Amino acid sequence: MDFSRRDFLKKVGATALATTAMTDIWAGPTKKMFYEISLAEWSLHKALFAKKLTNLDFPELARKEFGIEIVEYVNQFFKDKANDTTYLKELLKRSKDNGVRNHLIMIDGEGGTAELEDATRKKAVENHYKWVDAAKFLGCKTIRVNAYGKGSAEDVAKAAVDGLGRLGEFAAKSNINVIVENHGGYSSNGEWLSGVMKQINMKNVGTLPDFGNFCIDRKPNSRECANDYDRYKGVKELMPFAKGVSAKTHDFDANGNDTEIDYVKMMKIVKDSGFKGIAGIEYEGSTLPEYEGIKATKALLEKVGQMVS
């Protein structure tokens, strides 16, 4: 009992120290960075799933609570609204009223664009059409999709080239980018996904390197990773095709640094690729509440941006 209490107090103290350190040491950017900062809606998934927030609240919250002017939506939080013009008009109005730029929509639950069976893959591709249209309506530039399929690495890659190519052709008509995140399975293998991109070779089809999603396989009935791909190698392989990066964070040390990812090393890789775009905050930690975790991630991106720009 006593040990648990001391351990708890130590953990709380470390969290408070980290928050204080970030506030006291880092006062914000003083020079122009090579990337802009956006907020990925998934950073607020706990509050959204708990109905404490709605998707319509997101643009105003991003601007007023966090001082962020670019947002990345997640379709799970308005999954039945892709064709609802009234809803989309209201969402667009709220973003404009708050001076917020709609950047992308992350798409899940619409099927794998790399399914081996042609009819299944075709249906998944067509399921994404409505989100291309919704992105266009909202003024987004991009949708993020999943290159998912079951089979050998070679067969799934071949299917991904076909599925993503088809979707890319459709999206090009609306001037919308289609980007793939390393999101588990073969897509978390940087060499595999970069190989798919080389074969597709389309200007509007690219990648969204996520700094944290490099678990290829997990242990049975567990969240523990059984096969991790080197994150720094993976990001380096994906950056030539990147149209954004996902700045994943978990927990922070007393100096405000992520405890799992060396952000200076990672952002040097991003910079060295010639990237000049948007880095999206995606906080997934458990020690800090969502709001504080987002603010800590923003402070980290600003601090590192000054160091490497």
Side-chain angles (χ1 to χ4, degrees):
M1 179 79 70
D2 289 340
F3 174 79
S4 297
R5 184 172 182 273
R6 286 197 303 271
D7 191 52
F8 171 76
L9 290 173
K10 184 186 293 184
K11 188 174 183 180
V12 171
T15 300
L17 180 60
T19 304
T20 301
M22 285 181 284
T23 301
D24 293 344
I25 296 173
W26 183 241
T30 58
K31 65 179 179 179
K32 185 174 177 62
M33 301 187 297
F34 70 91
Y35 55 87
E36 297 179 275
I37 296 175
S38 65
L39 178 60
E41 192 171 21
W42 188 254
S43 298
L44 295 158
H45 69 275
K46 294 175 184 176
L48 285 155
F49 282 130
K51 308 298 183 184
K52 295 177 181 178
L53 296 172
T54 71
N55 185 65
L56 289 173
D57 298 325
F58 181 47
E60 181 177 5
L61 183 69
R63 182 60 185 268
K64 294 184 176 179
E65 181 69 28
F66 308 112
I68 296 173
E69 301 175 4
I70 309 171
V71 296
E72 305 177 10
Y73 297 100
V74 175
N75 76 324
Q76 294 182 53
F77 303 118
F78 61 122
K79 59 185 177 181
D80 59 340
K81 304 296 186 182
N83 297 316
D84 188 334
T85 304
T86 301
Y87 180 91
L88 295 178
K89 282 182 178 178
E90 178 62 23
L91 184 57
L92 182 60
K93 180 180 183 299
R94 294 195 186 195
S95 61
K96 287 183 176 180
D97 286 349
N98 287 282
V100 169
R101 189 195 330 166
N102 296 326
H103 172 45
L104 70 81
I105 307 175
M106 297 185 179
I107 313 301
D108 298 299
E110 296 291 2
T113 59
E115 292 284 4
L116 298 194
E117 207 279 316
D118 187 70
T120 304
R121 184 171 66 254
K122 183 172 182 286
K123 179 66 166 59
V125 169
E126 292 174 351
N127 285 346
H128 287 79
Y129 288 176
K130 61 182 177 289
W131 291 108
V132 170
D133 294 338
K136 181 70 173 178
F137 188 97
L138 291 171
C140 295
K141 298 294 185 184
T142 304
I143 62 168
R144 189 276 283 150
V145 305
N146 295 301
Y148 172 79
K150 292 182 179 179
S152 70
E154 294 75 17
D155 287 344
V156 174
K158 182 178 178 180
V161 170
D162 175 72
L164 293 170
R166 291 189 199 182
L167 183 55
E169 288 176 358
F170 177 85
K173 299 172 186 176
S174 298
N175 199 30
I176 296 294
N177 296 315
V178 174
I179 59 176
V180 181
E181 181 181 352
N182 44 304
H183 213 194
Y186 296 127
S187 73
S188 287
N189 180 315
E191 184 178 2
W192 182 90
L193 186 52
S194 62
V196 168
M197 291 297 135
K198 290 174 185 176
Q199 292 182 68
I200 294 173
N201 193 28
M202 294 175 64
K203 289 183 178 180
N204 73 316
V205 178
T207 61
L208 179 68
D210 183 301
F211 298 165
N213 284 356
F214 283 100
C215 180
I216 297 173
D217 297 303
R218 298 192 184 277
K219 294 181 179 180
N221 304 314
S222 172
R223 294 296 299 167
E224 187 177 351
C225 192
N227 183 11
D228 250 331
Y229 197 82
D230 184 278
R231 71 178 78 239
Y232 305 103
K233 179 176 183 288
V235 169
K236 187 174 182 178
E237 290 167 333
L238 296 179
M239 283 311 302
F241 314 96
K243 297 184 183 298
V245 295
S246 184
K248 180 69 61 61
T249 54
H250 298 91
D251 294 321
F252 301 87
D253 65 19
N255 294 315
N257 296 312
D258 188 85
T259 57
E260 296 185 23
I261 301 167
D262 182 338
Y263 258 75
V264 173
K265 180 177 180 179
M266 190 65 84
M267 295 311 290
K268 282 182 178 177
I269 292 172
V270 173
K271 183 177 187 292
D272 288 346
S273 74
F275 177 83
K276 292 181 180 179
I278 296 171
I281 292 171
E282 192 168 70
Y283 172 67
E284 281 194 344
S286 57
T287 302
L288 294 178
E290 287 180 324
Y291 283 31
E292 284 75 9
I294 291 168
K295 291 174 182 177
T297 307
K298 183 186 178 191
L300 175 59
L301 283 172
E302 291 173 341
K303 179 176 70 173
V304 174
Q306 295 296 294
M307 295 170 67
V308 303
S309 290

